[in-house]
Amino acid sequence: MASLNPPSYSASYRPYNPYLKKPSLFKMVCVTFLCSAAYLFGVWKHSGGSDVMTASPTDFLGTIRCAQMKNATQLPTATVVLDFSTHQAAEDTITLPPPRGPRYFPACDVKYSEYTPCEDTKRSLKFERDRLIYRERHCPQKAELLKCRVPAPYGYKSPFTWPESRDFAWYANVPHKELTVEKAGQNWIRFEGDRFRFPGGGTMFPNGADAYIDEIGKLINLRDGSIRTAIDTDGLYLIEVDRILRPGGYWILSGPPINWKRHWKGWQRTQEDLSAEQSAIEAVAKSLCWKKLVEKGDIAIWQKPTNHIYCKKTRKVFKQPQFCQAQDPDRAWYSKMETCLTPLPEVSDIKEIAGGQLEKWPNRLQSVPPRISSGSLDGVTAETFREDTELWKKRVAHYKAVSNQLAQKGRYRNLLDMNAHLGGFAAALIDDPVWVINVVPTEAKINTLGAIYERGLIGTYQDWCEAMSTYPRTYDLIHADSVLTLYKDRCEIEDILLEMDRILRPEGTVIFRDDVDILVTTKSITDGMNWDSHIVDHEKGPHQREKLLFAVKRYWTASAPASDQQDPKTVS
């Protein structure tokens, strides 16, 4: 075993240690001389080998340079500004890449001021008249896409704020008087000075829509919160109406042929023709298992059954339509309509509501939609739904803190959410005087449109590589959550942005939420579209790759006609 006591040495004795040996002065001088000679020889070779040996000591020192790599980046000789700000060294620190220079997008010709690409009348004439196919969406090919900004008509004004906008619109914004003449007797629209006025009339309700709705309210209960969403139809394709109508929902028909015995002369149609049309409608409704609740005056109302237990038994009597087989009833984007009846979800009792009972409004908005509680949406649970609802409350509060205009009541009315998911953005704005159209992209991983409607909200499908079927300048504010990331490998970002520019009114706002690299690219494009924009941090702080881009479309219009004085805010 080794001794625990250290050995003792005499004062004159030390153990040998090579690292404690004193160095030789002669050897140090030799090494120093050789290193210096090698260094000077290298400098001489690098400088060309001629001038160094004849230069003075001062000149010689001036010739010594640090060798430069051939591929090294050459820095400018401008004055260096020192940055004394604090910089984080954490891996999650986000650095904005340098923006590209903006590409300028010119204004389109004024003839495109009302251009709706997928509803173009000239293009539609190329398609079949059978079953009105020519009136369906027909979008331009990639080579036909406009690379310009659709102008507002000269003299365009910011729309009236809500609720005044319900009754008035500026004539300069939609400079057409045709309807005021063609529909003069129906009290739809009046031209008064510099504006249109909407009395609320129509073909079958010349006393106004309010009076018409009151009449419907006398026939079915419109005030107990059980009816929230409605769609206006023309009475055709009742099988498709049945598909989109919820269990127990109502179909209301007013106008021809209802009450034809009274109106047939004014409609300029024969009694036989109108009678046959109503009989056909009654027969189709019955074959769909709809129950006719009432016909009074100019209004008739049918109700869809709450389940299909009884309806399946009647297929022995009604040979057509049969129930659809292996059909996804929620698949409706460019889907061909089938002459079959969409089956409702299975139930075990005749009194049970297929798909689940909906809460009455307004509780319906915050309640877990039946599609989620039943497990029909993969990956979406009641818990994640509630978390999403709370998340969007925080996000919208952040939006309002960043943009005080969003917090102003009446500043915006028509809103579009381009990637709505569960409708959380719209739900968070429910107390504001706005309405939101919730879009579920056709490329979304989960089809959530049904759940959006079950919340009492409204929405639609859309492929953002195509134009939206809406009039230019429809929306006051557009919300784009991860839309550009979703489509970055499917189509050009600039085409999506130009479509957004088309459907956004002058001085309208866009809120982008996306990856920082996508937003930097987006900003470089919108800078060339005459938008003002700035990137701000995520609501959780700067250490998030996801950022926000707030953009405002500047006011500009088509150039003034030759007879008018040029407005300084017009663009040619």
Side-chain angles (χ1 to χ4, degrees):
M1 181 179 289
S3 173
L4 297 178
N5 298 317
S8 59
Y9 303 110
S10 66
S12 61
Y13 178 80
R14 295 286 187 274
Y16 174 76
N17 188 334
Y19 300 105
L20 298 177
K21 187 177 181 181
K22 293 182 179 179
S24 170
L25 179 61
F26 175 75
K27 291 183 179 180
M28 289 181 64
V29 172
C30 290
V31 171
T32 302
F33 175 78
L34 291 174
C35 290
S36 300
Y39 174 70
L40 294 174
F41 178 74
V43 171
W44 175 73
K45 292 289 289 182
H46 179 70
S47 64
S50 58
D51 298 335
V52 173
M53 302 308 294
T54 60
S56 66
T58 304
D59 294 336
F60 170 70
L61 291 174
T63 64
I64 299 176
R65 301 284 190 271
C66 293
Q68 294 183 350
M69 297 176 63
K70 292 182 179 179
N71 296 327
T73 302
Q74 302 299 309
L75 298 177
T77 58
T79 303
V80 177
V81 179
L82 298 180
D83 179 11
F84 294 100
S85 60
T86 302
H87 294 276
Q88 300 291 335
E91 293 182 358
D92 62 349
T93 299
I94 307 303
T95 301
L96 296 179
R100 300 185 306 178
R103 170 191 170 187
Y104 177 70
F105 292 90
C108 303
D109 189 278
V110 67
K111 69 181 181 181
Y112 291 106
S113 66
E114 297 180 333
Y115 182 56
T116 305
C118 297
E119 311 292 338
D120 183 48
T121 53
K122 291 183 179 179
R123 183 179 297 106
S124 69
L125 296 177
K126 302 176 183 177
F127 296 90
E128 301 177 40
R129 292 291 199 276
D130 182 50
R131 302 186 67 175
L132 303 179
I133 289 176
Y134 77 105
R135 289 189 176 181
E136 296 177 358
R137 283 173 55 90
H138 300 292
C139 298
Q141 299 297 314
K142 186 173 182 179
E144 300 176 283
L145 296 176
L146 296 180
K147 297 292 185 177
C148 55
R149 296 172 292 130
V150 172
Y154 176 72
Y156 180 92
K157 299 180 181 180
S158 293
F160 290 95
T161 58
W162 185 263
E164 194 176 9
S165 61
R166 180 180 185 268
D167 300 318
F168 296 98
W170 296 113
Y171 169 73
N173 294 5
V174 192
H176 298 285
K177 298 180 182 178
E178 295 88 342
L179 277 178
T180 65
V181 177
E182 182 179 345
K183 300 293 184 179
Q186 297 181 8
N187 208 26
W188 277 15
I189 184 171
R190 294 281 184 267
F191 177 65
E192 298 177 352
D194 60 353
R195 66 197 64 186
F196 290 115
R197 183 171 66 86
F198 304 97
T203 304
M204 297 308 299
F205 39 98
N207 296 324
D210 290 340
Y212 172 66
I213 293 171
D214 288 341
E215 287 298 315
I216 295 175
K218 295 176 182 177
L219 304 177
I220 56 175
N221 194 335
L222 298 178
R223 299 183 180 277
D224 68 348
S226 60
I227 298 176
R228 169 63 182 169
T229 54
I231 185 171
D232 193 7
T233 71
D234 60 3
L236 300 175
Y237 304 118
L238 291 187
I239 290 178
E240 174 63 8
V241 173
D242 179 83
R243 185 188 70 82
I244 64 175
L245 199 60
R246 70 173 175 85
Y250 301 95
W251 184 62
I252 302 172
L253 177 61
S254 62
I258 302 303
N259 205 7
W260 59 266
K261 294 179 180 179
R262 177 182 177 185
H263 298 293
W264 68 274
K265 290 184 179 179
W267 292 337
Q268 297 181 346
R269 293 174 61 183
T270 65
Q271 296 183 64
E272 292 77 14
D273 178 37
L274 289 165
S275 177
E277 182 179 350
Q278 179 153 356
S279 296
I281 292 174
E282 301 271 9
V284 173
K286 192 172 185 179
S287 72
L288 296 174
C289 302
W290 293 2
K291 178 182 179 182
K292 189 172 184 180
L293 298 180
V294 64
E295 179 175 341
K296 184 178 180 180
D298 299 332
I299 299 173
I301 301 176
W302 286 262
Q303 185 176 25
K304 179 178 177 176
T306 55
N307 59 63
H308 274 161
I309 289 181
Y310 174 76
C311 194
K312 288 180 178 179
K313 296 178 180 179
T314 66
R315 292 309 90 183
K316 297 178 181 179
V317 178
F318 297 101
K319 302 299 183 182
Q320 296 294 333
Q322 292 296 314
F323 283 100
C324 302
Q325 302 296 323
Q327 176 210 46
D328 179 1
D330 291 341
R331 187 178 178 85
W333 182 253
Y334 287 134
S335 297
K336 185 177 180 181
M337 286 194 298
E338 301 181 48
T339 56
C340 57
L341 182 59
T342 300
L344 290 174
E346 294 291 337
V347 295
S348 57
D349 185 83
I350 191 67
K351 295 181 179 180
E352 187 178 349
I353 297 178
Q357 176 72 52
L358 292 175
E359 295 281 349
K360 293 183 178 181
W361 186 264
N363 295 336
R364 180 173 169 181
L365 180 67
Q366 307 297 340
S367 299
V368 179
R371 274 177 166 83
I372 295 177
S373 59
S374 66
S376 299
L377 298 183
D378 291 339
V380 182
T381 65
E383 182 179 0
T384 58
F385 168 79
R386 295 187 185 98
E387 290 173 351
D388 184 79
T389 299
E390 293 304 313
L391 175 64
W392 279 105
K393 288 179 181 179
K394 295 178 182 178
R395 287 180 169 180
V396 169
H398 182 63
Y399 292 168
K400 291 181 177 181
V402 173
S403 174
N404 59 1
Q405 291 184 336
L406 184 58
Q408 295 174 8
K409 299 291 185 181
R411 175 68 175 81
Y412 303 105
R413 174 61 181 172
N414 302 345
L415 277 61
L416 169 68
D417 191 355
M418 296 177 68
N419 187 13
H421 190 45
L422 297 173
F425 173 74
L429 290 167
I430 199 63
D431 293 328
D432 292 6
V434 301
W435 69 274
V436 182
I437 184 76
N438 296 278
V439 170
V440 175
T442 54
E443 287 76 15
K445 293 181 179 179
I446 306 174
N447 184 352
T448 56
L449 188 60
I452 288 172
Y453 273 98
E454 287 180 343
R455 298 189 74 174
L457 303 172
I458 57 174
T460 187
Y461 297 111
Q462 176 66 32
D463 179 352
W464 288 116
C465 287
E466 298 180 359
M468 196 175 190
S469 292
T470 193
Y471 188 78
R473 302 169 294 280
T474 293
Y475 295 103
D476 304 314
L477 184 145
I478 299 175
H479 181 243
D481 176 17
S482 304
V483 173
L484 301 181
T485 289
L486 181 62
Y487 283 91
K488 66 179 181 179
D489 297 323
R490 292 179 169 88
C491 51
E492 297 295 330
I493 288 181
E494 67 182 36
D495 293 328
I496 298 176
L497 294 174
L498 284 169
E499 172 61 7
M500 294 170 70
D501 182 82
R502 183 187 73 85
I503 63 178
L504 183 68
R505 70 167 175 82
E507 299 182 316
T509 297
V510 180
I511 303 175
F512 296 93
R513 173 183 288 271
D514 222 310
D515 181 83
V516 62
D517 291 341
I518 291 288
L519 293 186
V520 170
T521 300
T522 300
K523 188 179 188 320
S524 71
I525 298 173
T526 58
D527 285 348
M529 291 166 48
N530 206 26
W531 290 14
D532 292 320
S533 63
H534 63 282
I535 296 175
V536 302
D537 285 326
H538 190 277
E539 58 270 8
K540 290 184 179 179
H543 304 306
Q544 303 286 328
R545 282 207 61 85
E546 187 176 80
K547 303 283 183 186
L548 305 174
L549 174 63
F550 282 76
V552 176
K553 178 180 175 178
R554 295 178 191 166
Y555 176 87
W556 67 278
T557 71
S559 298
S563 58
D564 294 337
Q565 183 178 357
Q566 181 73 25
D567 189 301
K569 291 186 179 179
T570 61
V571 178
S572 59

